[in-house]
């Protein structure tokens, strides 16, 4: 089969690799219909996150079950399924508590020795604990497939940030970051009842999506100017609920400085490039809570799926460029150059 591999910074290739097969009785093989490139994949692309030459990549996909191991009972051949960005057994103590990303037997697609989502097929460990069945008729609906694909990562991650920030009916929310996760966080905040949503971003294509998703205000400034702008919009106090969806020192500092005393920050931006710049004494003195981390999206899919299926939420606009599998290297170039927000891959 064909699959995307990474060999060095900026060296992405689509190559022939062995077809996946069931190796353990809890496995399933999924033939990929849709996958995509994540903003976090760019850290490997740029050489800021180490990878072995030839390692697979990609952690978001949905597809058709092609084969199952003897112990798999939750899905069967022919089922349309979505895979969260980490696999999990579904039965360990962490999984039972909803923290599937800490599963005792879990892992992430593209780990050394495992298939990545940016390929024609994927061996799925712990299929019963990992895969979520979708309506079969969705397989012929390109628009719906894109929306459902977002449940593998960005929509669930945006929701995790909103939950961490304590978004509730009538809340004022500020979202730092205009990438796909930040935009999905706007959508998640609106879904959870936020009355006012301030989106921080300076790219009009992205801020237009933010408004479509429910943002009531746009702040294009950065740094101290952004802090002043948010405080002006909030009577000088800041937002009770702040979402940090970037992961840099500046973005975290901005999140802290636009938080209202007694508020909370939901952080899901993967930390990279530097320290986070957090001063615990500031959080302590102002009673600011900090919650977040790697989103356990497998635990959120059952809650979010019905709203995607009935159109209550539609995250599909975050996919603004579509490529075939052979075009994945160009997709990385587009996202790295910020000419694409999030690239959808069709198989």
């Amino acid at each position: 089969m064909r699959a995307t591999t990474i060999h060095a910074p900026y060296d992405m290739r689509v190559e022939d690799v062995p077809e996946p097969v069931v190796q353990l009785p809890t496995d399933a093989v999924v033939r990929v219909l849709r996958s995509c490139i994540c903003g976090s994949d760019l850290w490997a692309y740029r050489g800021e996150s180490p990878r072995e030459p030839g390692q697979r990549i990609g952690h978001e996909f949905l597809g058709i079950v092609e084969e199952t191991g003897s112990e798999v009972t939750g899905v069967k051949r022919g089922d349309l399924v979505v895979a969260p960005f980490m696999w999990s057994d579904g039965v360990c103590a962490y999984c039972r508590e909803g923290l599937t990303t800490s599963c005792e037997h879990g892992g992430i697609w593209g780990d050394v020795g495992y298939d990545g989502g940016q390929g024609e097929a994927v061996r799925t460990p712990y299929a019963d604990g990992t895969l979520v069945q979708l309506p079969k008729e969705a397989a012929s609906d390109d628009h719906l497939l894109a929306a459902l694909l977002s449940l593998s990562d960005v929509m669930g991650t945006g929701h995790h940030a909103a939950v961490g920030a304590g978004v509730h009916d009538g809340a004022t929310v500020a979202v730092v970051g205009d990438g796909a996760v930040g935009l999905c966080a706007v959508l998640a905040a609106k879904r959870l009842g936020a009355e006012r949503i301030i989106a921080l971003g300076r790219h009009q294509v992205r801020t237009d999506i933010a408004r479509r998703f429910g943002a009531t205000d746009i702040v294009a400034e950065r740094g101290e100017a952004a802090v002043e702008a948010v405080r002006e919009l909030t009577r000088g106090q800041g937002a009770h609920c702040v979402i940090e969806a970037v992961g840099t020192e500046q973005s975290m500092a901005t999140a802290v400085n636009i938080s209202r005393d007694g508020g909370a920050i939901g952080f899901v931006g993967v930390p990279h490039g530097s320290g986070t710049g957090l001063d615990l004494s500031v959080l302590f003195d102002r009673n600011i809570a900090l919650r977040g981390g790697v989103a356990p999206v497998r635990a959120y899919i059952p809650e979010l799926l019905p709203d995607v299926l009935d159109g209550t939420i539609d995250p599909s606009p975050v996919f603004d460029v579509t490529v075939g599998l052979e075009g994945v290297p160009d997709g990385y170039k587009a996202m790295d150059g910020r000419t694409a927000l999030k690239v959808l891959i069709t198989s």
Side-chain angles (χ1 to χ4, degrees):
M1 72 167 188
R2 303 287 282 171
T4 307
T5 56
I6 181 168
H7 293 262
Y10 306 101
D11 184 1
M12 310 298 297
R13 307 177 194 176
V14 180
E15 301 180 305
D16 291 326
V17 300
E19 283 273 357
V21 297
V22 167
Q23 298 179 16
L24 298 170
T26 51
D27 287 349
V29 173
V30 176
R31 184 65 53 176
V32 176
L33 289 181
R34 297 290 186 276
S35 59
C36 54
I37 301 173
C38 183
S40 63
D41 291 331
L42 295 179
W43 305 122
Y45 179 69
R46 295 166 180 161
E48 297 180 35
S49 178
R51 294 290 190 276
E52 292 187 3
Q55 189 172 338
R56 308 286 181 81
I57 195 167
H59 53 261
E60 301 157 279
F61 66 94
L62 57 74
I64 304 293
V65 176
E66 198 166 71
E67 185 182 3
T68 60
S70 59
E71 294 181 13
V72 176
T73 59
V75 296
K76 63 184 183 303
R77 180 181 175 85
D79 284 347
L80 178 66
V81 294
V82 63
F85 66 83
M86 296 184 72
W87 68 79
S88 51
D89 64 20
V91 297
C92 75
Y94 288 114
C95 286
R96 293 197 305 272
E97 294 168 6
L99 193 61
T100 52
T101 49
S102 291
C103 176
E104 295 172 5
H105 302 107
I108 188 167
W109 316 109
D111 273 350
V112 175
Y114 291 91
D115 298 315
Q118 294 164 21
E120 290 184 324
V122 176
R123 180 178 75 87
T124 305
Y126 299 101
D128 279 344
T130 300
L131 299 174
V132 178
Q133 192 170 351
L134 304 172
K136 287 187 177 182
E137 56 269 24
S140 59
D141 187 331
D142 288 340
H143 183 91
L144 182 56
L145 282 178
L148 291 168
L149 178 61
S150 73
L151 296 176
S152 67
D153 187 346
V154 289
M155 188 62 227
T157 296
H159 177 71
H160 186 56
V163 170
V167 177
H168 56 274
D169 283 344
T172 293
V173 181
V175 180
V176 182
D178 61 1
V181 169
L183 294 174
C184 285
V186 171
L187 190 58
K190 180 68 174 178
R191 176 181 174 274
L192 291 174
E195 181 176 328
R196 190 174 196 183
I197 303 172
I198 304 166
L200 281 69
R202 58 175 56 189
H203 306 278
Q204 185 174 347
V205 170
R206 299 181 181 205
T207 55
D208 285 349
I209 296 173
R211 287 195 182 277
R212 181 175 174 181
F213 281 1
T216 56
D217 303 272
I218 303 295
V219 169
E221 294 83 359
R222 289 186 179 181
E224 287 301 319
V227 174
E228 292 176 10
V230 172
R231 289 195 171 274
E232 184 176 341
L233 290 169
T234 56
R235 302 189 307 278
Q237 295 182 337
H240 256 130
C241 309
V242 177
I243 290 167
E244 193 286 314
V246 182
T248 64
E249 185 170 336
Q250 183 187 63
S251 62
M252 183 60 80
T254 297
V256 171
N257 290 329
I258 64 176
S259 294
R260 189 181 189 276
D261 287 17
I265 299 170
F267 73 107
V268 292
V270 179
H272 58 270
S274 67
T276 57
L278 276 178
D279 184 342
L280 292 181
S281 66
V282 173
L283 300 182
F284 182 85
D285 291 343
R286 297 178 53 211
N287 280 282
I288 296 173
L290 183 66
R291 309 184 190 97
V294 185
V297 299
R298 176 60 182 84
Y300 294 136
I301 292 175
E303 175 184 350
L304 297 172
L305 177 58
D307 284 359
V308 172
L309 291 174
D310 69 14
T312 300
I313 57 173
D314 178 13
S316 65
V318 299
F319 298 106
D320 59 341
V321 171
T322 300
V323 300
L325 185 57
E326 300 298 328
V328 169
D330 290 335
Y332 273 87
K333 291 178 183 177
M335 284 183 62
D336 184 51
R338 296 183 73 84
T339 60
L341 168 60
K342 190 169 180 67
V343 173
L344 179 73
I345 304 165
T346 60
S347 299

